[in-house]
Amino acid sequence: ITARREPAANLWDPTDVRPLSTGQVSTTQTFDHGTFEVRVRHEAGANLAQAVWMLPYPLRWPPEIDIVETRLSVDPATAFFNAYSGTPDAPLDEPTFVDFDEPLDGRWVTYRLVWEGATMAWYVDGELVRSQETDVAGVPMRLILDQSWIVPWSGDGPVSAQLPVSLEIDYVRIWQ
C-alpha cells in the first residue's frame, strides 16, 4: 500500500480532490473471533499512520481492534495494540504501546492477534506483548490494512519530500 504525490478523489465525495493518495485493503467477510496474523514491512516517513485493524460492519465506532498501529514519523520504534469498546460518547480503551529496541522501519515484522470471546492477546514475532479482556465479543468486524494521515497524531510536519512511502504486506492469515 503506497502513499504517493498524485491527485486522488475522496471516495465519498468525488469533488474533494487531494494532492496526495494512499490506500486501504479490507475484507468483505466479517469475523467475531479468531487468530489474525500479518507479516509486514513498515516504511517510515510522510507522517503516516500504518495499521492493521478491525471495525464493525455495518460501520460504527466503537468498537475497534488495532492489531497493530504505528506512527513511525513520531515514534520509529513504537507500535500500538488496542481494543476500543463502549459508546461514541464514552469510548473505553486501555491504550497500550510497545517500544522496541530498534526502529520498525525497513524490517519484516509478524503481528498476531488471538481473539477468543472477551479475551485478546497480541504477539509480535511470536512473543506475547499484551493481553486484555474486552466487551467486543461476538461483534462482526472486517479486517483492514491501510496507511493514512492522522494529523497531528502521526506527525504534523511537511510530507512532500518523503513520498512515496509503502506498507509492504507479505501475507495475511486468518484462522477460525
Side-chain angles (χ1 to χ4, degrees), residues 8-146:
N10 181 325
L11 179 65
W12 295 279
D13 179 3
T15 63
D16 180 15
V17 178
R18 306 288 174 100
L20 306 171
S21 69
T22 188
Q24 178 182 86
V25 177
S26 174
T27 62
T28 55
Q29 181 178 349
T30 60
F31 307 92
D32 62 5
H33 70 283
T35 299
F36 305 84
E37 184 176 277
V38 61
R39 185 171 183 251
V40 303
R41 180 168 31 205
H42 300 279
E43 186 174 4
N47 303 323
L48 286 156
Q50 297 176 333
V52 178
W53 56 312
M54 302 178 80
L55 283 176
Y57 185 80
L59 183 61
R60 65 185 191 279
W61 187 91
E64 171 184 331
I65 300 170
D66 297 330
I67 297 171
V68 63
E69 187 170 23
T70 63
R71 56 183 193 168
L72 301 183
S73 297
V74 177
D75 299 311
T78 301
F80 295 80
F81 308 95
N82 298 305
Y84 299 89
S85 60
T87 67
D89 294 329
L92 303 171
D93 70 336
E94 297 176 23
T96 299
F97 61 90
V98 174
D99 289 323
F100 295 93
D101 292 335
E102 59 187 70
L104 296 166
D105 180 39
R107 63 184 177 105
W108 288 102
V109 182
T110 302
Y111 299 100
R112 176 182 281 192
L113 170 70
V114 178
W115 177 13
E116 298 174 346
T119 303
M120 295 189 179
W122 287 262
Y123 297 82
V124 177
D125 292 333
E127 181 181 331
L128 178 67
V129 296
R130 174 168 199 234
S131 60
Q132 176 184 349
E133 294 294 317
T134 180
D135 65 357
V136 298
V139 177
M141 297 197 185
R142 288 185 172 177
L143 180 67
I144 303 165
L145 296 92
D146 72 358

